[in-house]
Structures are given as C-alpha cells and as structure tokens.
Amino acid sequence: MTFDLSSLTVSGIREGLIARDFSAVELAESAYARIDAVETDVHAFNSLSRDLALDAARAVDAVVADGGELPRLAGVPVAFKDNMNLVGTMTTCSSRILEGYRSVYDCTAVRRMLDAGAVPIGKCNMDEFAFGSSTENSAFGPTRNPWDLERVPGGSSGGSAAAVAAGEAVLSLGSDTGGSIRQPGALTGTVGMKPTYGRVSRYGCVAFASSLDQIGPFSKTVEECAQTMNVICGKDSMDATSLERPAEDFTLGIRDGVKGLRVGIMQDLVDIEGCDPRVRQSTLDTAELLAGLGAEVGATNVPATQYGLPAYYILGPAEASSNLARFDGIRYGHRAADVEDVLDLYLRSRAEGFGPEAIRRIMIGTFALSAGYYDAYYGQAQKVRTLIANDFERAFADFDVLLTPTSPTTAFKIGEKAANPVSMYLSDVYTIPVNLAGICAVSVPCGTVEGLPVGLQIIGTHFAEATVLRAAYAVEQASGFDSVSPLVRGLADKRGTTVS
Ligand code: GLN
C-alpha cells in the first residue's frame, strides 16, 4: 500500500510506525510511487538511491519489530541536494564536469540524517555548483515548481525544495551561500532555514564559497525544520569552521508565542524598487499579525545591507573561482579526450565540463583576485562585509528578530530571467546580507499572491535559531497558509475520482 507523503510529518511518521499503520518500507515505496507519478513534470531529482533507501527502511522496520527505541528521524523519506556526498550515489552538482562521479565518503550532515534513521530517496537537482536562483542552470535541465509547472522552484536548491513541495520526500537538505535554501523555500511554499555559519558541518558538501556556505533543511512545517536542525547541528572535527555549542532542542520553545518579542521590519529593504508591492504588503500584513499576538513591532534600518549584492558578487565568485580550480579533468569526473598535453587537458576538460554560469563566476572571481585589482574589489568587498555585520549587530541591540520578504517576487516563469544574469542576481537581495554577516534566518510561508506562495524571511543574530523558529511557528499558525501545492491537490483529486 502507498501513502501520501505530503500529508505526513516527522512526528506523524513516528506515531504511524509505532502503531504499525505503515512500515518504513511502505513509506519509501510511497516516495517512489509519487516520483513515478510526477517526476516527468517536476524533475526534482538527478538520481534515485532505491537500494540504499530500502536497506535503511528495512533496518527501521527491524527496530519496530523488536520494539526497540526509534531514532529521531526513523523511517522519514529524505532527499539531498546533489552537492552532498553519500557513498553509493553520484554527486554531480548538476555539472557535466562531475558527470559520473561517485561519492567516496559521506557528507557529515547527510550521515547524521541517516544515523537518525532517515531513508535516503535520492539526490536533488540544483543550479550548477549552486550558482543561480532558479535551478535553470542545471546541466540536466530545469526543475519545475509544483505550484505552477511553468514556473521555477527557485534555486539553487530548487530540486530539494520541489521534492518536498511535491510530496516526493518529507524532508530535504539544501545549501545556502546567498539564499539558496530560503529563496526556493519561499517560491515553493516550504520552510527553509539557513543556520548560523558554523552551526552545521559542511564536510562532504562541494564548496562554492567557503566563508558563506551553510547546509540547512527544507520541510513543510516549522516544527519539522526544528526537528531536522536537532539532528544536523553540532561540531564536526572534519570541518574546522564548525563550532562547539551545547546541544539544543530547537523544538522546545517554538510554541511559546511572540508576546514581548521585539520584531524589526527592515524598512529600507522592504521598500526597494523591484519588490512586488503585493509581496511587500504580505510582509507588512504578517508583521501586523505578529503585533496582534503581542510582539513589539517596529521599523528599523540596516543601512550597509544596500551594498550586500555587489559585495557578494565579488566575494562569492572569488571564492568559487578558487574552489573550482580542483576540477581539472585529472581527479574528478569529466576528462577531455585526445588532448595534446596536460595544459590542453586542463583547458579542454574545463571548457567542456563547466556550463555558462560557472564559467562566468570563474572569470569574475579570477579577475577580482588578480594582481592590481585585489584590493580594489576583493579588499573593498571584505570591508563592506564587516560594515554589514556591524550594522546587523546594532539592529540586534534593539530587536530580537528582523523581517524582510524572502524574495522580491513570487516564482517567476521558466526562461523569464535566464537571459539576464543581473535580474537573476536581484532575486537574492534580501537573503545575501544574512550570509555575509554569518547570522541565521528562516523563510516561512506567509500567504499567496495569485495562487503562488510568498515567503517571509525572519532573521536572527548568531545562534538565535530558537528565537527565529519561535517567531516562524507563530507566523505559520496565524497565517493559515495551506502547504498543499496544486500539483499534490490535483493528484489527490484524481485519486478521489478513480476510487469513486
Ligand atoms: N543565487 C545566489 C547565487 O547565484 C545564491 C546561490 C546560493 O546560495 N548557492 O550565487
């Protein structure tokens, strides 16, 4: 028998397993049944890991049969962005240059999910090397948004977001360098969190910009976001940037409400040109809602964030150009044939393997780091970064959390921004400053505009995830947002008619 994963939560799965309403194997089969039904339309996955999933599910069912203690994510079907290594899978980063590359070790965050009993359904499509905001930059074709198949799911973790929104997985992991979890979360009506820099190990996640990258979860609900954070956070000796923190249960305070919480609307950002007025209104309405629940809502400004986008498009490409130097046709993936010498091998393997956006980033980054320009570009951008971090710190003296829209628009049409990189870059105007400051933020659905989800970004200072999640939970409860995407509703209706 198969089940509708879009109506199941982590806690529901746990209860259902214990009550023997379903087995973990049945849940895994349910994920694959949904994948069979929708993947030709959605294309959330680059590869499936059926054998790994069934092995993991059987192991959970054996614990259930023995009456043993179930781990925290027992039997939960999960999906991983295709830049995270897992032995037994390919890790392509949606790039030809890594086509056919098989993981030789496990990403720590992935491993923690699996050690907690999660069932790995497959690896998700993404913008090549996480460069983009629409998942159109994948070498394997775009992912489509379950809310409207003509539209993008956001990016770069668009496949991870779409898999959850389409009920192909209950949870997924993405990575966020400038918005790649929060923005697709907003565009697909899912909850997406970028943890504080250092909270989650990046070991085994292919690096884009190492001073910005963080791994984080996608889920349908805030509680499941907190439950996933409980599993993936924590020091890892394999990632020197991961930090020692006392273990925290992020689910504990989420229902405590927002009475007295100091909420600052980032007015200058909310008012920027290019923000859809309906998205802006939705943000302001949600702030009102929080005020109605007892939050102390006020307006504030974090002035240096206006330079976030230009600083990021120096720093991000600079670090990417350095990180991508390792893909030379020798050690990983694609190697050009019939080459003359080793230089020819490097040049041709890279020219054949990288797509246009990866090449653009490598060129911008290499230029920004070149002798004579380093101080003017990279050095200046680093200074801007410090200003942004300082301005945020000042704002957090007065406010516990800050609000912006997650994205200036709802999901745009496939192809709409593909020809204009700068208009695409603007998608992350609200999310990028958070990465530059190394702080944390969540995107939580707060309403719809013309049937498409709108995400609210709730920003907290370093290690303020618990506060951010508490505010997000209040928004989730008060907004009445229905996370069932039209694609999923259509399937349910179809099933309804077949049965009757
Ligand atoms: N869209 C931004 C970029 O293209 C952010 C991507 C990300 O967070 N990986 O760089």
Side-chain angles (χ1 to χ4, degrees), residues 388-404:
I388 291 174
N390 292 346
D391 278 2
F392 267 120
E393 209 173 315
R394 268 192 284 278
F396 283 122
D398 297 327
F399 294 98
D400 301 308
V401 295
L402 300 172
L403 304 185
T404 71

Side-chain angles (χ1 to χ4, degrees), residues 312-323 361 364-366 368-369 378:
Y312 172 87
Y313 277 97
I314 298 292
L315 299 172
E319 294 188 32
S321 69
S322 158
N323 275 324
R361 303 281 175 122
I364 294 171
T366 306
L369 289 174
Y378 187 78

Side-chain angles (χ1 to χ4, degrees), residues 24-25 52-66 70-71 74-75 117 119:
V25 167
L52 292 180
L54 291 176
D55 281 351
R58 281 190 207 105
V60 170
D61 288 336
V63 177
V64 175
D66 284 352
L70 288 177
V119 172

